Amino acid sequence: MLKAAYLHIPFCVQICHYCDFNKIFIHQQPVDEYLQSMKKEMIHTTTRFKNYEMETIFVGGGTPTALSEQQLQTFLGDVNEVLGNRSLIEFTVEANPEQTTKEKIAVLKANGVNRLSVGVQAFQSSLLKKLGRTHNKEDIYSTVAEAKKAGIDNMSIDLMFGLPGQTMEMFKESVDEALALDVPHISSYSLQIEKKTVFYNLAQKGKLVLPEQELEAAMYEYLIEALDKKGFKQYEISNFAIPGFESKHNLQYWNNNEYFGIGAGAHSYVEGTRRRNAGPLKQYMNLIEEHGFPYIEEHQVPLSEKMEEEMFMGLRKGEGVSDATFMSRYGRSMFDIYKEPIQRLIQKGWLEQREDTLVLTKDGRPLGNEVFQEFIGVVLD
């Protein structure tokens, strides 16, 4: 039974220089009309696909907190009306510090939001400016304090490393500052240069100077050690939590479970089919009006691809991939299907077997993408 939904708010007050997600500058956009289209998509989706019982909802973007208080109230009310139920245990909204006011936090809390994912990225003004971020350190402190005061204690902080001009001292300071905020979850990612971003254009012109790979690797190693000392468990390659505060929604993805995807550019995985929604606002809204659904791509996932995804999604997790779970889903052992790549990766020291489970080793974690490639395209007997 499907238990998760992702909802996409594409609007931003400022476009970050590294972001390749589906987003649009909010000024003079048809925000209210878009929210109405999202409600229609929710209704049509739950009418067509009835085998669901929501346990987790995640609202991402873009910047959900770019919405006004009234727009947030309308949107969250619609979400609760269509998707909400007593089974809901985690309701997350992404929040940018400079736009997450005391009043907006009150709206979030009143509508059942019980987790915030705060886009911090760094604590140094110089780095934030290079990233195209418009918040400062004081905004971060204020957002976290106001959320706690409102009773939202379950928060995650996003940090980035490998940034242009970022030194090890800067990253250590950011990790220390994040820990001082006393939140139970930290996500940390290295900068990836994606097409259609400011950073990509700068890199093409030779104007983007990034830290050496050795320094980036050292930052990641420091992150793991520093958070471990403070009681954070690395339960996924880039995610760390005080036990009990793992992201239940993101675990739905890493456990290769199905989910609804609502909104412009959103992806869904329902009844064995992956679907992609139209990204441009006008196209998305027109498709909703004309056809009820905004799909521009549908892919029935074959068995071989499901098994590949089970491996490389599951190996992202600290607990790895269980052969018992694999066999219950696909009727065969992963040690049979992937015998050769598993043996190669174990010999390289990137994978280890713990009873019936495969996990990335300490050396394998920074090389996750190389490990995952080994499971793609294996011919089934």
Side-chain angles (χ1 to χ4, degrees), residues 61-325:
T63 311
T65 50
L67 300 179
S68 69
E69 292 163 41
Q70 184 54 55
Q71 287 165 342
L72 268 178
Q73 176 62 52
T74 298
F75 168 67
L76 294 172
D78 292 342
V79 173
N80 281 313
E81 178 187 336
V82 183
L83 296 176
N85 58 52
R86 293 179 182 177
S87 299
L88 192 64
I89 54 177
E90 185 183 271
F91 192 165
T92 304
V93 172
E94 288 183 348
N96 272 11
E98 74 277 24
Q99 289 137 24
T100 310
T101 62
K102 177 181 178 181
E103 292 74 19
K104 289 182 184 179
I105 290 172
V107 173
L108 296 174
K109 175 67 175 177
N111 283 278
V113 174
N114 57 13
R115 185 175 183 271
L116 293 185
S117 178
V118 186
V120 172
Q121 317 314 349
F123 282 82
Q124 296 79 25
S125 297
S126 60
L127 288 183
L128 291 170
K129 186 175 181 180
K130 285 181 182 177
L131 292 173
R133 307 288 290 185
T134 55
H135 68 266
N136 56 39
K137 188 188 295 188
E138 288 68 32
D139 294 326
I140 300 167
Y141 295 149
S142 175
T143 295
V144 171
E146 289 294 346
K148 288 182 177 181
K149 194 182 298 183
I152 304 177
D153 297 311
N154 191 359
M155 275 180 276
S156 178
I157 295 293
D158 282 354
L159 294 178
M160 296 180 73
F161 58 93
L163 301 175
Q166 187 180 38
T167 64
M168 177 60 88
E169 289 68 31
M170 285 177 171
F171 185 62
K172 286 182 176 180
E173 180 184 42
S174 287
V175 173
D176 291 344
E177 293 272 12
L179 288 169
L181 288 170
D182 191 27
V183 296
H185 192 285
I186 293 175
S187 298
S188 191
Y189 307 87
S190 64
L191 174 66
Q192 303 297 312
I193 306 301
E194 306 287 358
K195 291 183 178 180
K196 300 181 181 179
T197 65
V198 172
F199 277 174
Y200 178 81
N201 293 334
L202 289 174
Q204 292 297 102
K205 297 174 184 176
K207 295 182 179 180
L208 189 69
V209 181
L210 300 174
E212 296 291 334
Q213 283 190 337
E214 293 79 6
L215 176 55
E216 185 178 306
M219 289 177 177
Y220 183 58
E221 189 65 32
Y222 174 79
L223 173 78
I224 293 170
E225 293 176 0
L227 296 188
D228 181 67
K229 289 177 183 176
K230 294 295 184 178
F232 283 76
K233 176 186 174 186
Q234 186 181 16
Y235 72 101
E236 191 269 347
I237 288 177
S238 302
N239 287 271
F240 306 77
I242 298 297
F245 287 92
E246 297 83 1
S247 171
K248 295 177 178 62
H249 181 83
N250 285 339
L251 281 167
Q252 298 280 0
Y253 302 143
W254 300 323
N255 287 329
N256 205 23
N257 295 333
E258 297 190 344
Y259 54 91
F260 291 147
I262 306 292
H267 293 243
S268 60
Y269 182 28
V270 185
E271 295 182 354
T273 298
R274 293 194 182 277
R275 297 174 174 86
R276 180 165 65 93
N277 288 1
L281 252 61
K282 184 173 287 188
Q283 184 185 12
Y284 168 81
M285 294 164 67
N286 286 344
L287 285 172
I288 292 288
E289 288 304 312
E290 294 169 11
H291 305 288
F293 295 96
Y295 310 141
I296 57 171
E297 186 178 305
E298 297 190 53
H299 172 58
Q300 183 73 37
V301 183
L303 179 62
S304 59
E305 195 173 314
K306 288 180 180 179
M307 291 191 289
E308 290 171 1
E309 291 172 350
E310 190 80 20
M311 296 304 295
F312 60 72
M313 295 297 284
L315 284 171
R316 294 189 63 90
K317 300 181 296 179
E319 66 183 29
V321 182
S322 159
D323 196 43
T325 300

